[in-house]
């Protein structure tokens, strides 16, 4: 269980940047110049306004291309943006927050299976149940990258998804609860619901995806089918196209 005293792990460029930023704030800006500061370490943020970071979870579940990578039992400390804003308000001009570090997140951690199932339930669609091994997924990244570049289409199979699947951690917000009286108001169900409503209003997620079908003078509606088979068919078309280019 990670807390404010746990050492920061340097696993990449982002983590290194974060470590150096905290050092700069606490030592150069804070202690050396006698300025007051507060460092917030949020969980994995999501919510209304997010157009780049976690939106893929919602769009891939909606179009039924999401696949579990690995067991799906790894833990994520999600932080709904509303909870983060509440914490920021509590920190403002609060002497208890001066020169302190706080972990801010939802009250509980969630497995990726819980997260995806909650999104699917709100979208009123069947949750995904296919599992890909990380080894297989890693091998598929390059050909799908070729497909994405040639057809100018985003795909589920990419390094960012593999990296996301490796996340597995839990942390405690007890310090914020005890010293700031921080009480997360939004759980996963409420946070996902508010996020999906925002995506729908902004047009990132369609409220209902339906096709009109005219048969025997009757108009009916049916949901389109999204299948992984289409991806493989498109991929083989890419291979043919590459082969044609090489031979020309």
């Amino acid at each position: 269980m990670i807390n404010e005293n746990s050492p920061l792990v340097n696993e990449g460029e982002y983590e290194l940047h974060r470590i150096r930023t905290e050092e700069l704030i606490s030592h150069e800006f804070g202690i050396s110049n006698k300025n007051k500061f507060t460092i917030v370490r949020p969980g994995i943020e999501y919510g209304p306004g997010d157009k780049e970071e976690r939106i893929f979870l919602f769009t891939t579940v909606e179009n039924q291309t999401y696949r579990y990578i690995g067991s799906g039992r790894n833990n994520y400390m999600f932080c709904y943006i509303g909870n983060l804003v509440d914490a920021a308000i509590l920190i403002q001009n609060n002497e208890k927050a001066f020169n302190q570090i706080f972990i801010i997140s939802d009250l509980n951690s969630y497995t990726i299976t819980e997260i995806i199932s909650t999104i699917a339930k709100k979208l009123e669609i069947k949750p995904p149940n296919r599992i890909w091994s990380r080894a297989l997924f890693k091998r598929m990244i390059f050909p799908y990258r070729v497909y994405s570049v040639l057809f100018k289409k985003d795909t589920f199979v990419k390094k960012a998804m593999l990296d996301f699947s490796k996340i597995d951690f839990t942390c405690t917000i007890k310090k914020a609860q005890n010293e700031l009286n921080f009480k997360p108001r939004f759980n996963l169900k409420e946070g996902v619901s508010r996020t999906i409503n925002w995506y729908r209003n902004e047009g990132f997620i369609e409220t209902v995806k339906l096709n009109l079908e005219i048969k025997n003078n009757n108009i009916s509606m049916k949901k389109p089918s999204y299948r992984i088979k289409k991806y493989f068919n498109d991929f083989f078309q890419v291979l043919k196209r590459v082969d044609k280019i090489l031979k020309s």
Side-chain angles (χ1 to χ4, degrees):
M1 180 84 61
I2 297 173
N3 60 34
E4 286 79 1
N5 295 320
S6 300
L8 294 176
V9 180
N10 180 10
E11 294 183 341
E13 185 176 345
Y14 171 77
E15 287 78 11
L16 178 61
H17 177 73
R18 185 177 62 180
I19 292 171
R20 289 180 175 175
T21 300
E22 287 197 10
E23 291 175 348
L24 181 65
I25 292 173
S26 60
H27 295 288
E28 299 299 327
F29 175 79
I31 297 174
S32 298
N33 295 291
K34 298 181 180 180
N35 293 310
K36 297 179 177 61
F37 66 89
T38 302
I39 294 175
V40 173
R41 295 176 182 170
I44 302 174
E45 310 100 317
Y46 79 101
D50 173 25
K51 301 178 183 180
E52 297 180 2
E53 298 298 328
R54 247 54 69 184
I55 187 173
F56 71 88
L57 291 175
F58 296 84
T59 55
T60 55
V61 171
E62 183 208 24
N63 62 32
Q64 298 179 17
T65 59
Y66 186 89
R67 299 293 183 268
Y68 291 111
I69 308 170
S71 67
R73 294 191 294 269
N74 39 325
N75 290 289
Y76 292 75
M77 285 303 300
F78 260 33
C79 181
Y80 179 66
I81 189 64
N83 291 330
L84 186 57
V85 170
D86 287 347
I89 293 173
L90 291 172
I91 289 171
Q92 281 187 330
N93 301 319
N94 187 339
E95 292 185 359
K96 292 182 179 180
F98 291 166
N99 303 337
Q100 295 294 321
I101 298 174
F102 293 100
I103 291 176
I104 301 298
S105 187
D106 290 2
L107 184 60
N108 302 306
S109 65
Y110 319 105
T111 65
I112 189 60
T113 301
E114 289 177 302
I115 295 168
I116 296 303
S117 297
T118 302
I119 293 173
K121 185 175 182 179
K122 174 61 180 176
L123 291 172
E124 298 181 348
I125 61 176
K126 185 179 179 180
N129 56 14
R130 294 190 179 185
I131 299 175
W132 288 354
S133 71
R134 289 195 177 95
L136 172 63
F137 192 89
K138 187 175 182 179
R139 294 190 184 97
M140 295 172 65
I141 291 176
F142 177 74
Y144 270 88
R145 173 62 178 164
V146 175
Y147 162 80
S148 179
V149 171
L150 290 179
F151 286 90
K152 297 181 179 180
K153 292 182 179 179
D154 193 20
T155 70
F156 174 77
V157 182
K158 49 190 172 184
K159 186 177 182 299
M161 288 301 306
L162 182 63
D163 292 341
F164 187 78
S165 74
K166 295 178 181 178
I167 297 174
D168 188 2
F169 75 99
T170 58
C171 56
T172 177
I173 60 172
K174 285 185 178 180
K175 182 178 178 180
Q177 290 175 306
N178 295 334
E179 299 185 20
L180 301 176
N181 196 29
F182 173 58
K183 298 177 181 179
R185 291 188 296 134
F186 305 96
N187 58 22
L188 180 64
K189 183 178 179 181
E190 180 67 18
V192 164
S193 178
R194 288 171 176 258
T195 303
I196 288 177
N197 289 339
W198 186 84
Y199 283 147
R200 281 175 172 167
N201 292 335
E202 294 296 317
F204 292 104
I205 289 178
E206 296 182 25
T207 304
V208 184
K209 283 197 168 186
L210 295 171
N211 284 341
L212 285 177
E213 185 179 65
I214 302 177
K215 188 175 182 180
N216 298 328
N217 296 322
N218 294 319
I219 299 177
S220 60
M221 288 183 161
K222 65 175 184 178
K223 289 187 177 181
S225 176
Y226 297 89
R227 297 184 183 277
I228 197 64
K229 181 179 179 181
K230 181 180 182 302
Y231 278 106
F232 282 108
N233 289 337
D234 288 342
F235 171 59
F236 287 128
Q237 293 300 317
V238 170
L239 293 181
K240 291 180 181 179
R241 192 169 173 181
V242 171
D243 184 61
K244 185 176 180 180
I245 291 173
L246 294 175
K247 289 179 179 179
S248 62

